[in-house]
Amino acid sequence: MRAFLTEAFDSPAKLQNIQMPIPSKGEVRIKIKACALNFADILMQKGTYQDTPELPFVGGLEISGVVDDLGPETDRPTIGARVAVFGGQGGFAEYGCFDANRMVVIPDNMSFEEAAAFQVAYGTSHVALNYRAKMQPGETLLVLGAAGGVGLTAIEVGKLMGARVIACARGAEKLEIARKAGADQLIDSDTQDLREEVLALGGADVVYDPIGGDLWKAAFRACKPDARLIPIGFAGGEVPQIPANHVMVKNLTILGVYWGAYLKFKPEVVTDSLRDLFDWYSQGKLKPHISHRFPLEDTAEALATLKARKSTGKVVVTMD
């Protein structure tokens, strides 16, 4: 089978022909149809991600496809089932073996591309806003990086939970995408002062931040007393330091969210969340935004597009 293989850190991965995997006990093999990209894929290639596999490895965390084979003592999901899985690796290939307990059967009206793009982005936003921040109707949600893969989902989920959403992104084009996703107010981080604009709108009850850096600092200063801040990533490249004295004085709460970790120590948080999200999708309340699609042989270009922030929503690699 063809696979996009990483053999050395911080050097280009290559499309190669490798042996097709055989599922072990508790695993199923998937004929992969699509794999959505995440910034974690870029960090894995550099060897700096917290869950980077040992070399050599096939990247690609977020996968959809059709069950093709079952391992010993494994009876679900059945062969032929349409599924999605957060595999942690192995998605940039034509076939892959994954833990059967992580499989989610996808709705009949959901495409494989949408299914691949759905889990991490929507799951992160729903777990962050519902399970962690316990956001309430009428609260003000500030979303940074609002036109990105997780940012757009935070807008959609926030609106469904009854929040007033302030979206912050770079440039009119990205802000228009955030508006179409449901944002109530828009802030251009290239031309406007984030702190001043948010304070003029009454301040933020919840901050959803996949960016970090200076935007985090400005959002931190634009919080209402008793606000909750959710760092979920640092796409801007800088991990900000948190001034504990300001956290204390304003009674702020910092809520870290790493969605994938729940699969290891509290998987019901993820499974319960995905059940709600797939139900919302089936009702037509959610619509994954995919800005770029690439064939497997162009995976390097797909990763470069994500790294350069040329995408909005999700970037997906397809196998057919």
Side-chain angles (χ1 to χ4, degrees):
M1 69 172 191
R2 297 183 304 157
F4 195 68
L5 191 68
T6 298
E7 297 183 290
F9 292 129
D10 216 9
S11 64
K14 297 178 181 178
L15 188 66
Q16 300 187 31
N17 286 310
I18 65 173
Q19 187 173 358
M20 186 181 293
I22 298 173
S24 302
K25 179 181 177 181
E27 290 185 335
V28 302
R29 186 171 67 200
I30 296 177
K31 178 176 174 56
I32 298 172
K33 296 292 188 177
C35 180
L37 274 62
N38 296 273
F39 272 96
D41 294 307
I42 296 170
L43 298 178
M44 276 189 179
Q45 285 199 355
K46 295 175 65 177
T48 58
Y49 189 58
Q50 56 261 33
D51 286 334
T52 297
E54 294 183 5
L55 294 168
F57 66 88
V58 175
L61 289 75
E62 201 174 5
I63 302 141
S64 68
V66 177
V67 175
D68 156 85
D69 195 12
L70 305 177
E73 301 180 36
T74 308
D75 58 7
R76 63 175 183 86
T78 57
I79 291 177
R82 302 172 74 251
V83 296
V85 62
F86 178 78
Q89 59 175 296
F92 298 145
E94 293 177 314
Y95 291 85
C97 293
F98 307 98
D99 186 342
N101 291 326
R102 290 193 177 191
M103 298 289 160
V104 180
V105 176
I106 62 178
D108 291 338
N109 62 336
M110 177 178 271
S111 71
F112 287 114
E113 292 177 7
E114 288 178 320
F118 193 86
Q119 292 182 92
V120 172
Y122 281 104
T124 296
S125 293
H126 189 252
V127 168
L129 299 177
N130 182 58
Y131 178 75
R132 292 289 278 154
K134 295 178 173 56
M135 192 171 64
Q136 300 300 306
E139 289 193 305
T140 297
L141 167 65
L142 170 61
V143 179
L144 307 183
V150 290
L152 283 174
T153 64
I155 294 172
E156 289 185 84
V157 171
K159 290 301 293 181
L160 285 170
M161 292 179 66
R164 179 181 67 146
V165 178
I166 304 171
C168 176
R170 300 177 64 183
E173 182 179 351
K174 291 186 175 182
L175 287 173
E176 176 60 17
I177 292 170
R179 185 192 66 77
K180 288 180 178 178
D184 298 290
Q185 276 90 28
L186 307 173
I187 297 174
D188 188 336
S189 58
D190 280 342
T191 61
Q192 295 175 282
D193 186 297
L194 176 63
R195 175 176 176 268
E196 289 184 2
E197 296 293 333
V198 174
L199 288 175
L201 292 169
D205 295 295
V206 178
V207 174
Y208 182 94
D209 180 22
I211 304 299
D214 289 338
L215 287 179
W216 164 275
K217 297 172 187 176
F220 186 94
R221 299 175 64 198
C223 284
K224 298 178 184 179
D226 215 24
R228 291 90 76 203
L229 298 97
I230 313 169
I232 64 158
F234 312 103
E238 178 189 343
V239 179
Q241 302 302 303
I242 298 171
N245 57 328
H246 292 183
V247 172
M248 178 189 71
V249 169
K250 293 186 72 173
N251 291 298
L252 303 177
T253 302
I254 314 296
L255 299 164
V257 174
Y258 172 34
W259 180 84
Y262 281 109
L263 289 167
K264 300 177 182 179
F265 71 90
K266 201 181 245 189
E268 66 273 13
V269 171
V270 170
T271 54
D272 290 349
S273 171
L274 286 175
R275 184 180 61 248
D276 291 342
L277 288 166
F278 279 122
D279 184 54
W280 280 347
Y281 177 91
S282 296
Q283 296 175 43
K285 295 179 178 180
L286 299 174
K287 183 64 175 177
H289 178 83
I290 300 170
S291 65
H292 292 75
R293 295 165 172 84
F294 295 88
L296 177 61
E297 54 267 26
D298 292 338
T299 300
E301 184 181 351
L303 289 165
T305 298
L306 180 66
K307 184 176 182 180
R309 300 190 198 178
K310 295 179 180 178
S311 60
T312 56
K314 296 290 281 189
V315 177
V316 174
V317 167
T318 59
M319 309 310 153
D320 295 332

